[in-house]
Amino acid sequence: GYNNGPLNVSLASGRTQYATTATAGDIETTNLAVQYQMGTFRLMTGVYRDVVNRTAPLTAEGWTLGGILTVGADQVKIALSEYGTNAKGDPAAKKLSLGYVKSLSKRTALYTTWARVSNSGGSTAALNGSTTAANAGSTGYDFGVRHQF
């Protein structure tokens, strides 16, 4: 990676080896991420590519764009992403998420996140461990307390 002042760039690649079948095979993963700090706003983006080398290779690609705005000791978070494959129907999922972190002290914070996934091409991506029908959407909420020991 590269980290200089407000700019942080990372590139990663990996390969996991499996027996090649009609539904499985070696998985090659490549990711590129960029983060840029502009005052109280941190812009983040990334692109992703996965290839499953099965008898008929499967390729998946995605991207994410988001940011964190620091307001005093609190944070407002937003992200938009998309991930899809070249499987039959070209399944894809898009997600929008919004979050807020309210700091109560240096070690304790309350947090909440809302997210919405929209599916197309037969995709069944869902949030928080739920399931959904092909091309249906999923909405999720997270609320919690974070304490660092």
Side-chain angles (χ1 to χ4, degrees):
Y2 173 82
N3 188 359
N4 187 10
L7 180 63
N8 187 342
V9 180
S10 298
L11 176 66
S13 184
R15 181 178 178 160
T16 305
Q17 295 179 319
Y18 294 101
T20 301
T21 67
T23 59
D26 293 353
I27 300 173
E28 298 172 4
T29 301
T30 305
N31 307 306
L32 172 65
V34 178
Q35 173 182 295
Y36 191 80
Q37 186 74 39
M38 298 176 285
T40 60
F41 185 72
R42 182 181 319 149
L43 178 66
M44 298 174 285
T45 188
V47 291
Y48 317 99
R49 180 178 169 83
D50 303 314
V51 177
V52 181
N53 292 306
R54 53 190 199 175
T55 53
L58 176 71
T59 301
E61 295 179 340
W63 57 268
T64 187
L65 177 64
I68 300 173
L69 177 64
T70 301
V71 181
D74 302 340
Q75 294 180 324
V76 178
K77 301 179 177 188
I78 185 169
L80 180 64
S81 60
E82 182 174 10
Y83 189 80
T85 74
N86 66 344
K88 183 179 178 183
D90 294 321
K94 293 181 182 178
K95 181 171 77 171
L96 172 65
S97 59
L98 304 169
Y100 186 76
V101 179
K102 173 65 178 165
S103 294
L104 301 177
S105 69
K106 288 177 81 174
R107 299 183 335 170
T108 306
L110 301 175
Y111 65 87
T112 184
T113 304
W114 169 89
R116 174 78 180 154
V117 170
S118 300
N119 291 300
S120 63
S123 177
T124 59
L127 296 166
N128 298 340
S130 64
T131 58
T132 186
N135 302 322
S138 177
T139 301
Y141 307 91
D142 288 327
F143 304 95
V145 177
R146 181 188 72 217
H147 183 76
Q148 298 172 330
F149 292 95

